[in-house]
Amino acid sequence: MKLALFTERFYDLVAPDIPNEWDVEEVLDPLIDESDLVCEAILGHIPVIWPVSHSLCYDFLRLLPKTLQHLSLEQIPHWIGITLDCYETDGLRAAQRFMQDDIENYLKKLKGSGGLPLASIERKLLPYIRGVARNELQLKQGKTCYTDTTSIFVPEELRFSTNNDVNFLLYKLILTFQWGFMACKSFINRAPSGFSHIECDEDTLWIRAYLASFEEPLLARDIFHCLESFRVRIFLTQELPGLMRAAEKHIFPQLLLKSQKHPLNSLQQALIKDEAELFTLLTSNLTDRECEKYISGEASSCDSAEITAKLFRTLFQKDVEYLPIITLPFQGTLKLQAIETAKKIQEQKMGEQFADMMASYLLTLSKKELGELHEQDKRDSGNQGLAESDISMIMDSEFSGNTEQEKDAPILVSINNEQLEMPVELEEFTKSFLDEFGHLPAHFLSSAAGKAGQAMLEQEVSGPADNSTQPKSTLSYDEWDYRRQGYRKSWCSLHFKDLPPIRTQFIQNTLAKYHGLTIRLRHQFEMMRSQERFVKRQREGDDIDFDALVESISDSRAGISSSDRLFIRLKRDERDIAVVFLVDMSNSTAGWVNNALKESLVLMAEAMAVLGDRYAIYGFSGMRRSRCELFHVKHLAEPYGEQVKERISSIVPSEYTRMGPPIRHATELLKDIDAKVRIIITLTDGKPEDYDDYKGKYAIEDTRHALLEAKTADIHPFCITIDHKAREYMKHMYGPANYIFIDNVRKLPQRIPEIYRVLTS
Amino acid sequence: MSRKIIETRLEEHLITEKPYYLASGKEIEIALSAHKNGLPLLLKGPTGCGKTRFMQFLAWKLGRPLITVSCHDDLSTSDLVGRFLIRSGEAVWADGPLTLAVRSGAICYLDEIVEARKDTTVVIHPLADDRRELPVEKLGELLSAPPEFMISVSYNPGYQSVLKDLKPSTRQRFVAISFDYPNPEMEAEIVCKEAGVDKKLADSLVKLAGMTRSLKESGLAEGASTRLLIQTGQLIQDGIDVHTACRAALIEPLSDDPELLAALQEMVSSVF
Ligand SMILES: Nc1ncnc2c1ncn2[C@@H]1O[C@H](COP(=O)(O)OP(=O)(O)OP(=O)(O)O)[C@@H](O)[C@H]1O
Ligand SMILES: [Mg+2]
């Protein structure tokens, strides 16, 4: 391809950007000798990379001559995909390094010349372990295998066997085994009875303190780990016999070869022997009774703690330096400190949640119980409200959850010396908290009191916003304050803004990129429209409705007036649907996300054109309550034309995500629309959040409330999100089954129309 | 003018043998009390968790016939209330299931009510509030439901299609009982009993079901139901090997997503 033509095509693809000609020619010039086919293919990648990062795009082109020596044309799209992933997670430098240096590694991985990469099976393993563990465990890459009880860390790649099926089995075994430690309660949190002599503060796992109390903690740790592994092994043999049989067949024999010269060797080898040999191996270390206890699965982690002390006495050699044993791959390492850290984070999270719940509860009391005190307080000291110390709270601390009775006993809280029973939800939560952490740190209680006090203060200070000076293109909306269980009146101003229509190649590129998909979607949507069915009992139609005819004759015989609706007609189901799409334009969508959102809108619009459903598209963003912004892309009645296309192209990431006002506005819009079904679909990449205090629980609760308002108006809200951490709060905000999570941004354009299809048929 | 009425044999609807039902909460007490007070019942819950079986048990317990209508798109008011038919040149009236139930003080169970069109479901409104009456327009009658009569509807709130949600005006007439899968011990007992498999196999099947039910966030909207477990048990009982039976009766019905299917398969191979 001639350089001039090549350059011109390049400019078309990146418009409206006008990059420096010199830069462009420099990177394209070395490529002009490639065949037209190659050049076309290269150009095809530009719209993928350019919007994400211009420099990355230049680098891609600059390195292409070298890349093409290694990769075939077909391999390039996948390679670009990885590069962009790299860019999105680790930034430009990392992506450049990947493109420059990692082609060989990439190829190796692709060919599987090494072992089995985690990435290739993660999507299968993650649901597996979550199912087995019955909770939302995370899977993470780590140099060694271990668990901190919220995540399981495994190596990036396994080269245990040349057979990747065996490698997969080992991955599976590792994960299951690490979960086994949790299921067997190996990580003893609090001192078991009889062990109270070990000093251990609240933040330390008791077992860590215990192991540290030995003269050689590493030896104690290894013994304990070994014993616990043994317990897990027995537990898994009972619980998941299929897995253990496979492991005995394909994995254990290979491990047997790796016998070590180590005092714990025979104990460790017992882990991978079958039952007959087990006993002999164990009895060299344990008494017969102990052996039986372990083998029957009745031993507990306390037994292991006890036996650790016993074995330690026989195995410990004072003057010899102890070298830790090399653990078996599925055993991993015992990282008790990591567990403590994870627990701490978890506790903090749940504690804050508790404080929030408690604060809302306190506010419901405010008028009666707290009010008087509040008044008096003001009089006494001229204080402006309740400070932290003004509400004194004591929780019934007798609870330890050990006996059934205690579990059922109500938890009482004394507020300003008056005993109150907590609402069920709060009580349940408190119990599960105590169950998990054993105690409720006092600072969460005082923080709850503080939050409540703060909210009461704001309640007094904040009047309605002054809206006399607002221009016409602005509306004001209330905002829900969960702390006061009421609205802040006219709290937010929503400004209507226009997106400048820009002429770009975006639409064309998107349509070209998704040519096949567009056709498929159109077809699918066509099917939805033409959902034909026979409707009976029509005044006129294509055929006689015999049921109706007979009924009518019978009716007239019976002497009552008969119906003249005697025909069957083939009818297309009328889709009487009105939808508002709200598109998150917050700055966190910059780059790939924004691009994918726009692409999705284009595909959606193309497909909707066949369907005839009424729809509107608005973008939203803004900063602070005084400047929430709604960007017009398409009104409900507006046809999908050039103008709309141009506006879709010009959707750009802007500021923050205050979700309440746009949702309330969409509700207002749809309220007046006469349609059988009315839907608000929000496309977002994360939590509601604004620059001011619109964050966390406050933001979530306001959004939730805005959605409830929509539901009350018989409008169905639905959310499509790509936030990885979205899970916990999405359900709370939208209600189960009213949101969907898409974990791969690249699938967005394909998934959104699909979801819409499911949602409305 | 004479109007003949076709007699329907009610005995067919009477449940004479005690159905096997294992209660997991206070649902029986609640339902009996609802019946006593003439209140309609709404059963919510995932598919295959025992709603239909519960109704059979309740009907047996109350000694009333159970008339079940599976709702669908095409269900018309006439289908519920009744219509005239012609018999040897004469018009005769045939009661629909709802009318029949009202007349005879039976229990009328509308299964999967959301599947019926909304203009059809409105006929139950006057029956479901304290009027407890059914207008049969064509006969010019207004039937008053006797105290024994009860109306009960079921629906599965897990659906995503917004077209299939229950209107608040309909929903708020009912006493609602929420069903979920029974706890593991009870579920194993049910599987044992219904599929005739041994305890150990039942336990493993239930364990497997538990795993599939915790995959909501990984893209599996509904995990394996009790019904699926029973069916799997039945296949195994018939001599089909465990892995094949699980694949056919437990895994494949749950999803089409290849990665999820693979993960589910791994669970099976771990458990058995
Ligand atoms: N508590 C229970 N006691 C006895 N059997 C049960 C129980 N729960 C479920 N079953 C068994 O599960 C099977 C499925 O239950 P059932 O048909 O009642 O489900 P359902 O809730 O009506 O499902 P659907 O919503 O799909 O109609 C029953 O045939 C029965 O064998
Ligand atoms: Mg049923």
Short mmCIF file of all heavy atoms in Angstrom, two decimals, chain B residues 103-152:
data_model
loop_
_atom_site.label_atom_id
_atom_site.label_comp_id
_atom_site.label_asym_id
_atom_site.label_seq_id
_atom_site.Cartn_x
_atom_site.Cartn_y
_atom_site.Cartn_z
N ARG B 103 -67.96 -24.28 44.13
CA ARG B 103 -69.21 -24.97 44.44
C ARG B 103 -69.02 -26.08 45.46
O ARG B 103 -69.84 -26.29 46.34
CB ARG B 103 -69.76 -25.63 43.17
CG ARG B 103 -70.53 -24.71 42.29
CD ARG B 103 -71.28 -25.57 41.27
NE ARG B 103 -71.44 -24.90 40.00
CZ ARG B 103 -72.34 -23.95 39.78
NH1 ARG B 103 -73.15 -23.57 40.75
NH2 ARG B 103 -72.43 -23.38 38.59
N SER B 104 -67.91 -26.80 45.30
CA SER B 104 -67.77 -28.00 46.11
C SER B 104 -66.88 -27.78 47.33
O SER B 104 -66.57 -28.71 48.05
CB SER B 104 -67.20 -29.12 45.26
OG SER B 104 -65.98 -28.69 44.70
N GLY B 105 -66.49 -26.55 47.54
CA GLY B 105 -65.64 -26.31 48.69
C GLY B 105 -64.32 -27.05 48.60
O GLY B 105 -63.82 -27.60 49.57
N ALA B 106 -63.75 -27.05 47.40
CA ALA B 106 -62.47 -27.73 47.22
C ALA B 106 -61.33 -26.72 47.33
O ALA B 106 -61.54 -25.54 47.58
CB ALA B 106 -62.44 -28.40 45.85
N ILE B 107 -60.15 -27.22 47.11
CA ILE B 107 -58.99 -26.35 47.11
C ILE B 107 -58.55 -26.16 45.68
O ILE B 107 -58.33 -27.13 44.96
CB ILE B 107 -57.86 -26.95 47.94
CG1 ILE B 107 -58.31 -27.00 49.40
CG2 ILE B 107 -56.59 -26.14 47.81
CD1 ILE B 107 -57.36 -27.72 50.29
N CYS B 108 -58.46 -24.92 45.27
CA CYS B 108 -58.07 -24.65 43.89
C CYS B 108 -56.65 -24.13 43.88
O CYS B 108 -56.33 -23.14 44.54
CB CYS B 108 -59.01 -23.64 43.27
SG CYS B 108 -58.70 -23.46 41.52
N TYR B 109 -55.78 -24.80 43.15
CA TYR B 109 -54.36 -24.44 43.13
C TYR B 109 -53.96 -24.00 41.74
O TYR B 109 -54.00 -24.78 40.79
CB TYR B 109 -53.54 -25.66 43.58
CG TYR B 109 -52.04 -25.46 43.54
CD1 TYR B 109 -51.45 -24.29 44.03
CD2 TYR B 109 -51.20 -26.44 43.02
CE1 TYR B 109 -50.08 -24.11 44.00
CE2 TYR B 109 -49.82 -26.28 42.98
CZ TYR B 109 -49.27 -25.11 43.48
OH TYR B 109 -47.91 -24.94 43.44
N LEU B 110 -53.64 -22.73 41.60
CA LEU B 110 -53.20 -22.21 40.31
C LEU B 110 -51.68 -22.20 40.28
O LEU B 110 -51.04 -21.34 40.89
CB LEU B 110 -53.74 -20.80 40.09
CG LEU B 110 -55.25 -20.65 40.19
CD1 LEU B 110 -55.66 -19.18 39.99
CD2 LEU B 110 -55.95 -21.52 39.15
N ASP B 111 -51.14 -23.17 39.57
CA ASP B 111 -49.69 -23.34 39.53
C ASP B 111 -49.08 -22.35 38.55
O ASP B 111 -49.61 -22.14 37.47
CB ASP B 111 -49.41 -24.79 39.10
CG ASP B 111 -48.07 -25.25 39.58
OD1 ASP B 111 -47.34 -24.44 40.18
OD2 ASP B 111 -47.76 -26.44 39.37
N GLU B 112 -47.97 -21.76 38.94
CA GLU B 112 -47.26 -20.80 38.08
C GLU B 112 -48.18 -19.70 37.56
O GLU B 112 -48.32 -19.50 36.36
CB GLU B 112 -46.59 -21.51 36.90
CG GLU B 112 -45.38 -22.32 37.26
CD GLU B 112 -44.26 -21.49 37.91
OE1 GLU B 112 -44.34 -20.24 37.85
OE2 GLU B 112 -43.36 -22.08 38.51
N ILE B 113 -48.76 -18.99 38.49
CA ILE B 113 -49.79 -18.02 38.12
C ILE B 113 -49.28 -16.95 37.16
O ILE B 113 -50.02 -16.45 36.32
CB ILE B 113 -50.40 -17.39 39.37
CG1 ILE B 113 -51.55 -16.47 39.01
CG2 ILE B 113 -49.36 -16.61 40.15
CD1 ILE B 113 -52.72 -16.62 39.88
N VAL B 114 -47.97 -16.61 37.26
CA VAL B 114 -47.47 -15.54 36.39
C VAL B 114 -47.50 -15.89 34.91
O VAL B 114 -47.39 -15.02 34.06
CB VAL B 114 -46.03 -15.12 36.77
CG1 VAL B 114 -46.03 -14.30 38.02
CG2 VAL B 114 -45.14 -16.33 36.90
N GLU B 115 -47.64 -17.19 34.63
CA GLU B 115 -47.68 -17.58 33.23
C GLU B 115 -49.00 -17.19 32.56
O GLU B 115 -49.09 -17.08 31.35
CB GLU B 115 -47.47 -19.09 33.08
CG GLU B 115 -46.10 -19.58 33.52
CD GLU B 115 -44.98 -19.08 32.62
OE1 GLU B 115 -45.26 -18.79 31.45
OE2 GLU B 115 -43.84 -18.96 33.11
N ALA B 116 -50.03 -17.00 33.37
CA ALA B 116 -51.33 -16.62 32.80
C ALA B 116 -51.36 -15.13 32.52
O ALA B 116 -50.68 -14.35 33.16
CB ALA B 116 -52.44 -16.99 33.77
N ARG B 117 -52.15 -14.74 31.55
CA ARG B 117 -52.24 -13.32 31.25
C ARG B 117 -53.00 -12.60 32.36
O ARG B 117 -53.81 -13.19 33.08
CB ARG B 117 -52.96 -13.11 29.91
CG ARG B 117 -52.14 -13.50 28.71
CD ARG B 117 -52.75 -12.91 27.44
NE ARG B 117 -54.20 -13.04 27.43
CZ ARG B 117 -54.85 -14.14 27.05
NH1 ARG B 117 -54.17 -15.19 26.63
NH2 ARG B 117 -56.16 -14.20 27.07
N LYS B 118 -52.68 -11.31 32.46
CA LYS B 118 -53.24 -10.58 33.60
C LYS B 118 -54.75 -10.44 33.52
O LYS B 118 -55.44 -10.42 34.54
CB LYS B 118 -52.55 -9.23 33.73
CG LYS B 118 -51.15 -9.44 34.28
CD LYS B 118 -50.29 -8.22 34.39
CE LYS B 118 -48.93 -8.66 34.93
NZ LYS B 118 -47.83 -7.83 34.48
N ASP B 119 -55.28 -10.35 32.29
CA ASP B 119 -56.74 -10.20 32.20
C ASP B 119 -57.44 -11.50 32.61
O ASP B 119 -58.64 -11.49 32.90
CB ASP B 119 -57.16 -9.76 30.79
CG ASP B 119 -56.59 -10.67 29.71
OD1 ASP B 119 -55.45 -11.14 29.88
OD2 ASP B 119 -57.27 -10.92 28.71
N THR B 120 -56.70 -12.57 32.65
CA THR B 120 -57.31 -13.81 33.12
C THR B 120 -57.27 -13.88 34.64
O THR B 120 -58.24 -14.27 35.28
CB THR B 120 -56.56 -15.03 32.54
OG1 THR B 120 -56.52 -14.90 31.13
CG2 THR B 120 -57.24 -16.32 32.93
N THR B 121 -56.14 -13.50 35.18
CA THR B 121 -55.99 -13.66 36.63
C THR B 121 -56.90 -12.74 37.45
O THR B 121 -57.10 -12.99 38.62
CB THR B 121 -54.52 -13.46 37.07
OG1 THR B 121 -54.00 -12.34 36.39
CG2 THR B 121 -53.70 -14.68 36.79
N VAL B 122 -57.45 -11.70 36.81
CA VAL B 122 -58.32 -10.82 37.60
C VAL B 122 -59.54 -11.55 38.14
O VAL B 122 -60.11 -11.13 39.15
CB VAL B 122 -58.79 -9.56 36.83
CG1 VAL B 122 -57.65 -8.61 36.63
CG2 VAL B 122 -59.45 -9.93 35.53
N VAL B 123 -59.96 -12.65 37.50
CA VAL B 123 -61.18 -13.31 38.00
C VAL B 123 -61.00 -13.85 39.40
O VAL B 123 -61.97 -14.07 40.10
CB VAL B 123 -61.67 -14.47 37.10
CG1 VAL B 123 -61.97 -14.00 35.71
CG2 VAL B 123 -60.72 -15.64 37.11
N ILE B 124 -59.76 -14.05 39.80
CA ILE B 124 -59.60 -14.58 41.15
C ILE B 124 -59.65 -13.48 42.22
O ILE B 124 -59.80 -13.77 43.39
CB ILE B 124 -58.30 -15.40 41.32
CG1 ILE B 124 -57.09 -14.49 41.20
CG2 ILE B 124 -58.25 -16.54 40.33
CD1 ILE B 124 -55.83 -15.19 41.67
N HIS B 125 -59.57 -12.23 41.79
CA HIS B 125 -59.53 -11.16 42.78
C HIS B 125 -60.69 -11.19 43.79
O HIS B 125 -60.45 -11.18 44.99
CB HIS B 125 -59.45 -9.80 42.10
CG HIS B 125 -58.06 -9.50 41.62
ND1 HIS B 125 -57.63 -8.26 41.23
CD2 HIS B 125 -56.99 -10.32 41.48
CE1 HIS B 125 -56.37 -8.32 40.86
NE2 HIS B 125 -55.96 -9.56 41.00
N PRO B 126 -61.95 -11.23 43.31
CA PRO B 126 -63.04 -11.23 44.31
C PRO B 126 -63.03 -12.49 45.18
O PRO B 126 -63.57 -12.48 46.28
CB PRO B 126 -64.32 -11.16 43.47
CG PRO B 126 -63.92 -11.49 42.09
CD PRO B 126 -62.47 -11.17 41.94
N LEU B 127 -62.39 -13.54 44.69
CA LEU B 127 -62.30 -14.75 45.50
C LEU B 127 -61.22 -14.65 46.55
O LEU B 127 -61.27 -15.28 47.59
CB LEU B 127 -61.97 -15.95 44.60
CG LEU B 127 -63.12 -16.76 44.07
CD1 LEU B 127 -62.59 -17.85 43.17
CD2 LEU B 127 -63.95 -17.35 45.20
N ALA B 128 -60.23 -13.83 46.22
CA ALA B 128 -59.07 -13.78 47.08
C ALA B 128 -59.17 -12.73 48.19
O ALA B 128 -58.33 -12.66 49.05
CB ALA B 128 -57.82 -13.54 46.24
N ASP B 129 -60.19 -11.89 48.14
CA ASP B 129 -60.33 -10.99 49.29
C ASP B 129 -61.52 -11.41 50.14
O ASP B 129 -62.07 -12.49 49.96
CB ASP B 129 -60.40 -9.53 48.84
CG ASP B 129 -61.48 -9.29 47.83
OD1 ASP B 129 -62.51 -9.98 47.90
OD2 ASP B 129 -61.30 -8.41 46.95
N ASP B 130 -61.95 -10.54 51.03
CA ASP B 130 -62.92 -11.03 52.01
C ASP B 130 -64.34 -11.21 51.44
O ASP B 130 -65.21 -11.75 52.10
CB ASP B 130 -62.94 -10.14 53.26
CG ASP B 130 -63.16 -8.69 52.90
OD1 ASP B 130 -63.40 -8.42 51.70
OD2 ASP B 130 -63.10 -7.84 53.80
N ARG B 131 -64.52 -10.81 50.15
CA ARG B 131 -65.83 -11.12 49.55
C ARG B 131 -65.98 -12.62 49.35
O ARG B 131 -67.04 -13.18 49.49
CB ARG B 131 -65.95 -10.41 48.19
CG ARG B 131 -66.18 -8.93 48.29
CD ARG B 131 -66.10 -8.29 46.93
NE ARG B 131 -64.70 -8.09 46.50
CZ ARG B 131 -64.35 -7.69 45.30
NH1 ARG B 131 -65.26 -7.48 44.37
NH2 ARG B 131 -63.08 -7.50 45.00
N ARG B 132 -64.89 -13.22 48.96
CA ARG B 132 -64.90 -14.66 48.67
C ARG B 132 -66.05 -15.06 47.77
O ARG B 132 -66.84 -15.95 48.09
CB ARG B 132 -64.92 -15.48 49.97
CG ARG B 132 -63.54 -15.54 50.60
CD ARG B 132 -63.52 -16.24 51.92
NE ARG B 132 -63.95 -17.61 51.94
CZ ARG B 132 -63.19 -18.67 51.68
NH1 ARG B 132 -61.93 -18.50 51.35
NH2 ARG B 132 -63.66 -19.88 51.77
N GLU B 133 -66.15 -14.38 46.65
CA GLU B 133 -67.22 -14.78 45.75
C GLU B 133 -66.74 -14.81 44.30
O GLU B 133 -65.74 -14.19 43.94
CB GLU B 133 -68.42 -13.85 45.90
CG GLU B 133 -68.08 -12.38 45.75
CD GLU B 133 -69.18 -11.50 46.34
OE1 GLU B 133 -69.93 -11.98 47.22
OE2 GLU B 133 -69.28 -10.35 45.91
N LEU B 134 -67.46 -15.56 43.51
CA LEU B 134 -67.10 -15.72 42.11
C LEU B 134 -68.31 -15.42 41.23
O LEU B 134 -69.31 -16.12 41.27
CB LEU B 134 -66.63 -17.16 41.86
CG LEU B 134 -66.29 -17.54 40.42
CD1 LEU B 134 -65.06 -16.81 39.94
CD2 LEU B 134 -66.10 -19.05 40.29
N PRO B 135 -68.22 -14.34 40.46
CA PRO B 135 -69.34 -14.08 39.56
C PRO B 135 -69.24 -14.99 38.32
O PRO B 135 -68.19 -15.03 37.69
CB PRO B 135 -69.14 -12.62 39.15
CG PRO B 135 -67.77 -12.23 39.58
CD PRO B 135 -67.15 -13.35 40.35
N VAL B 136 -70.30 -15.72 38.04
CA VAL B 136 -70.33 -16.52 36.81
C VAL B 136 -71.28 -15.81 35.88
O VAL B 136 -72.49 -16.02 35.94
CB VAL B 136 -70.79 -17.96 37.10
CG1 VAL B 136 -70.68 -18.82 35.84
CG2 VAL B 136 -69.97 -18.56 38.22
N GLU B 137 -70.71 -14.94 35.06
CA GLU B 137 -71.54 -14.02 34.31
C GLU B 137 -72.55 -14.73 33.40
O GLU B 137 -73.72 -14.35 33.34
CB GLU B 137 -70.67 -13.08 33.50
CG GLU B 137 -70.25 -11.86 34.31
CD GLU B 137 -69.09 -11.14 33.68
OE1 GLU B 137 -68.99 -11.15 32.44
OE2 GLU B 137 -68.26 -10.58 34.44
N LYS B 138 -72.06 -15.75 32.72
CA LYS B 138 -72.94 -16.39 31.75
C LYS B 138 -74.14 -17.06 32.39
O LYS B 138 -75.18 -17.23 31.77
CB LYS B 138 -72.15 -17.41 30.93
CG LYS B 138 -71.29 -16.71 29.91
CD LYS B 138 -70.69 -17.67 28.95
CE LYS B 138 -69.85 -16.90 27.94
NZ LYS B 138 -68.97 -17.80 27.22
N LEU B 139 -74.00 -17.45 33.61
CA LEU B 139 -75.13 -18.06 34.29
C LEU B 139 -75.91 -17.02 35.08
O LEU B 139 -76.95 -17.31 35.65
CB LEU B 139 -74.66 -19.15 35.26
CG LEU B 139 -74.01 -20.40 34.65
CD1 LEU B 139 -73.60 -21.35 35.74
CD2 LEU B 139 -74.99 -21.09 33.71
N GLY B 140 -75.34 -15.83 35.12
CA GLY B 140 -75.96 -14.81 35.93
C GLY B 140 -75.95 -15.14 37.42
O GLY B 140 -76.83 -14.75 38.16
N GLU B 141 -74.94 -15.89 37.82
CA GLU B 141 -74.89 -16.29 39.22
C GLU B 141 -73.74 -15.60 39.92
O GLU B 141 -72.73 -15.28 39.32
CB GLU B 141 -74.66 -17.80 39.35
CG GLU B 141 -75.86 -18.66 39.04
CD GLU B 141 -75.52 -20.13 39.22
OE1 GLU B 141 -74.83 -20.46 40.20
OE2 GLU B 141 -75.91 -20.94 38.35
N LEU B 142 -73.89 -15.42 41.18
CA LEU B 142 -72.80 -14.96 42.01
C LEU B 142 -72.59 -16.01 43.08
O LEU B 142 -73.40 -16.14 43.99
CB LEU B 142 -73.13 -13.61 42.64
CG LEU B 142 -72.00 -12.98 43.44
CD1 LEU B 142 -70.81 -12.63 42.59
CD2 LEU B 142 -72.50 -11.74 44.16
N LEU B 143 -71.53 -16.78 42.91
CA LEU B 143 -71.31 -17.87 43.85
C LEU B 143 -70.56 -17.38 45.06
O LEU B 143 -69.58 -16.67 44.94
CB LEU B 143 -70.50 -19.00 43.20
CG LEU B 143 -71.12 -19.68 41.98
CD1 LEU B 143 -70.16 -20.75 41.46
CD2 LEU B 143 -72.46 -20.30 42.35
N SER B 144 -71.05 -17.79 46.21
CA SER B 144 -70.33 -17.48 47.44
C SER B 144 -69.55 -18.71 47.84
O SER B 144 -70.07 -19.81 47.86
CB SER B 144 -71.32 -17.15 48.55
OG SER B 144 -71.25 -15.80 48.83
N ALA B 145 -68.28 -18.50 48.15
CA ALA B 145 -67.46 -19.67 48.47
C ALA B 145 -67.79 -20.16 49.88
O ALA B 145 -67.87 -19.35 50.81
CB ALA B 145 -65.99 -19.32 48.37
N PRO B 146 -68.00 -21.47 50.01
CA PRO B 146 -68.21 -22.03 51.34
C PRO B 146 -66.92 -21.97 52.14
O PRO B 146 -65.85 -21.81 51.56
CB PRO B 146 -68.62 -23.47 51.06
CG PRO B 146 -68.01 -23.79 49.74
CD PRO B 146 -67.99 -22.50 48.98
N PRO B 147 -67.00 -22.11 53.45
CA PRO B 147 -65.81 -21.99 54.30
C PRO B 147 -64.69 -22.96 53.94
O PRO B 147 -63.52 -22.65 54.11
CB PRO B 147 -66.32 -22.27 55.71
CG PRO B 147 -67.78 -22.36 55.64
CD PRO B 147 -68.23 -22.30 54.24
N GLU B 148 -65.06 -24.12 53.38
CA GLU B 148 -64.02 -25.12 53.09
C GLU B 148 -63.17 -24.71 51.89
O GLU B 148 -62.06 -25.18 51.72
CB GLU B 148 -64.63 -26.50 52.76
CG GLU B 148 -65.54 -27.09 53.82
CD GLU B 148 -66.94 -26.52 53.71
OE1 GLU B 148 -67.51 -26.56 52.61
OE2 GLU B 148 -67.45 -25.99 54.73
N PHE B 149 -63.73 -23.87 51.04
CA PHE B 149 -63.02 -23.50 49.82
C PHE B 149 -61.73 -22.72 50.13
O PHE B 149 -61.69 -21.89 51.03
CB PHE B 149 -63.90 -22.66 48.91
CG PHE B 149 -63.15 -22.03 47.77
CD1 PHE B 149 -62.89 -22.78 46.63
CD2 PHE B 149 -62.69 -20.72 47.85
CE1 PHE B 149 -62.17 -22.20 45.58
CE2 PHE B 149 -61.98 -20.16 46.80
CZ PHE B 149 -61.73 -20.91 45.67
N MET B 150 -60.72 -23.01 49.35
CA MET B 150 -59.49 -22.24 49.50
C MET B 150 -58.86 -22.04 48.14
O MET B 150 -58.90 -22.94 47.29
CB MET B 150 -58.51 -23.01 50.37
CG MET B 150 -57.18 -22.30 50.55
SD MET B 150 -56.07 -23.30 51.57
CE MET B 150 -55.33 -22.05 52.58
N ILE B 151 -58.30 -20.84 47.93
CA ILE B 151 -57.56 -20.64 46.69
C ILE B 151 -56.09 -20.45 47.01
O ILE B 151 -55.72 -19.81 47.99
CB ILE B 151 -58.12 -19.47 45.87
CG1 ILE B 151 -57.40 -19.43 44.53
CG2 ILE B 151 -58.00 -18.16 46.61
CD1 ILE B 151 -58.13 -18.64 43.49
N SER B 152 -55.28 -21.06 46.18
CA SER B 152 -53.86 -21.00 46.43
C SER B 152 -53.14 -20.86 45.09
O SER B 152 -53.55 -21.45 44.10
CB SER B 152 -53.47 -22.28 47.17
OG SER B 152 -52.16 -22.61 46.90
#
